[in-house]
Amino acid sequence: MNGKEKPDKEIPVILAPMAGITDCVFRRICFEQGCTGATTEMISAQGYLSAPRMLKAYGDLIKTLPGEGTVYAQVFGREAKWFGMAVSAITELGLFDGIDINMGCPAHKVTGGGNGSALMRNPALCGEIVKACVEATKLPVTVKMRLGWDENEITCLDVARAAEQNGAAALTVHGRTRSQFYAGKADWEWIGRVKQHVSIPVIGNGDVDSGESALEMLRVTGCDGVAVGRAALGNPWIFAQINAALRGEMYTRPSYEEVIETALRQAREMADWKGEKRAVLEMRKHFSWYIAGRRGAAKLRPRINQAETLNEVEGLLRSLEDRA
Ligand SMILES: Cc1cc2nc3c(=O)[nH]c(=O)nc-3n(C[C@H](O)[C@H](O)[C@H](O)COP(=O)(O)O)c2cc1C
């Protein structure tokens, strides 16, 4: 597609899962801007089943809001039986449109126990896990994966095939290995090889940060859609920007007024949910992302981080000199 042609079907533009970030409030804001699907923050299969004292925390992780679009629950773990039981319990909640299996998280505390991207070292196990999930739910089951463990252990083709053969409905492929974490450039050529290797839909992920880069990712990989992670931080408008590019239309970035209003609305909704004190704390990083790149942001950031009320934050955001 050259950006001028109109797509004949909706191309998925998905909010990639981000632990500590993609909660229901942020997701709903992304949906307003044209995001077509999202996942919850990751939930431990074993933890969800076996830690009733933690249920409040899990309740927050799996909370959804009216007005959200298609939301999948993302589950991590390492044993097929725990996945099956957790997926069955999560399905019964009736909150989700699907289940996404985390085979991509690189964090030591996750891979150390054999979860997340460590699963990709064992494609047969990946297949068993997908099978257990598919058998435990009527909802579609998707897989979020990387290219492999490191450059000597690229297993994405085997994992993708195992997932497909065991009933996965789609894959999201982040074009990095586990050992790269988030460094270097995502390898879109490899994502394209995965796309060629299976017949289920493949969503490309890694380094999409504009309308042009989304079009380029689709061109290079031949993927069915894109998933956007870091470029959505403080910038839910990325979804409007990508959709405009897909339609061959111009995109106008939001005014600073709109940026502030959106940041404050997110904060107020967080406050309604978790109380003002916690909302101000949890929103610090978001405020910092919303103003990133603007003149005066670096000076304002420490003051926002000391603020204790939403009124204080609002005054500070409105004091930024760079309001273009
Ligand atoms: C802070 C942070 C948290 C993340 N948490 C998850 C997660 O819980 N599950 C997951 O599958 N991927 C997670 N990811 C990976 C993203 O979904 C995505 O694959 C990665 O950021 C690459 O896409 P991007 O270049 O668009 O950011 C996380 C990434 C970041 C930056």
Side-chain angles (χ1 to χ4, degrees):
M1 203 178 332
N2 63 15
K4 300 238 169 359
E5 299 156 20
K6 298 237 185 292
D8 52 9
K9 63 176 171 76
E10 185 184 72
I11 296 190
V13 184
I14 290 170
L15 173 64
M18 287 182 285
I21 295 160
T22 53
D23 57 45
C24 52
V25 171
F26 184 62
R27 288 196 307 261
R28 186 161 66 177
I29 288 173
C30 292
F31 280 120
E32 284 169 11
Q33 294 302 326
C35 151
T36 63
T39 52
T40 62
E41 302 174 69
M42 61 181 181
I43 303 158
S44 156
Q46 190 166 352
Y48 183 70
L49 292 165
S50 58
R53 279 174 295 115
M54 292 278 289
L55 275 181
K56 165 87 177 80
Y58 282 104
D60 284 351
L61 286 175
I62 59 177
K63 186 175 163 67
T64 56
L65 286 173
E68 286 200 73
T70 302
V71 180
Y72 280 37
Q74 195 189 55
V75 184
F76 76 96
R78 64 173 180 204
E79 279 188 47
K81 75 166 187 228
W82 285 111
F83 266 103
M85 287 159 72
V87 163
S88 167
I90 291 169
T91 301
E92 273 172 30
L93 298 170
L95 297 172
F96 300 106
D97 300 291
I99 303 290
D100 188 49
I101 305 174
N102 181 326
M103 296 189 186
C105 182
H108 292 280
K109 65 176 183 202
V110 172
T111 58
N115 311 274
S117 54
L119 291 175
M120 292 200 64
R121 309 193 84 172
N122 186 344
L125 174 61
C126 294
E128 282 167 34
I129 287 172
V130 172
K131 185 164 186 268
C133 293
V134 168
E135 284 174 354
T137 184
K138 289 199 180 66
L139 299 174
V141 173
T142 55
V143 172
K144 170 93 183 327
M145 53 190 277
R146 286 187 173 234
L147 300 183
W149 183 253
D150 60 24
E151 59 185 340
N152 301 314
E153 212 179 318
I154 303 275
T155 51
C156 51
L157 298 183
D158 290 343
V159 171
R161 180 63 58 78
E164 177 177 44
Q165 284 174 345
N166 286 285
L171 309 171
T172 299
V173 184
H174 174 195
R176 288 186 176 82
T177 61
R178 185 272 177 175
S179 68
Q180 285 178 292
F181 283 78
Y182 299 97
K185 248 183 93 56
D187 189 331
W188 292 356
E189 304 282 341
W190 259 112
I191 299 175
R193 276 176 227 162
V194 177
K195 166 67 190 160
Q196 290 291 317
H197 200 63
V198 291
S199 22
I200 50 176
V202 175
I203 307 296
N205 172 239
D207 300 345
V208 171
D209 60 1
S210 62
E212 298 78 62
S213 61
L215 294 181
E216 185 62 5
M217 152 82 84
L218 292 171
R219 188 188 68 74
V220 172
T221 62
C223 273
D224 302 275
V226 296
V228 179
R230 290 163 297 171
L233 302 178
N235 182 24
W237 300 275
I238 184 74
F239 297 101
Q241 187 183 3
I242 292 174
N243 284 319
L246 288 169
R247 291 191 299 263
E249 292 170 4
M250 289 286 291
Y251 161 75
T252 314
R253 74 185 184 114
S255 65
Y256 185 59
E257 283 313 307
E258 190 179 345
V259 172
I260 298 182
E261 288 311 325
T262 304
L264 290 172
R265 186 155 55 89
Q266 185 179 344
R268 285 187 206 108
E269 288 175 9
M270 288 291 282
D272 289 345
W273 174 18
K274 298 184 173 181
E276 181 168 359
K277 200 168 164 197
R278 201 157 144 212
V280 170
L281 274 178
E282 288 192 19
M283 281 297 296
R284 280 180 182 167
K285 57 184 187 271
H286 289 279
F287 291 132
S288 160
W289 291 322
Y290 275 111
I291 62 172
R294 290 177 183 273
R295 207 161 11 94
K299 264 197 292 179
L300 201 58
R301 201 166 289 131
R303 297 178 63 200
I304 290 178
N305 288 345
Q306 279 165 10
E308 288 177 0
T309 65
L310 287 180
N311 273 345
E312 276 177 78
V313 174
E314 177 167 359
L316 289 166
L317 289 174
R318 294 198 189 283
S319 74
L320 191 74
E321 33 189 294
D322 180 1
R323 308 173 65 86

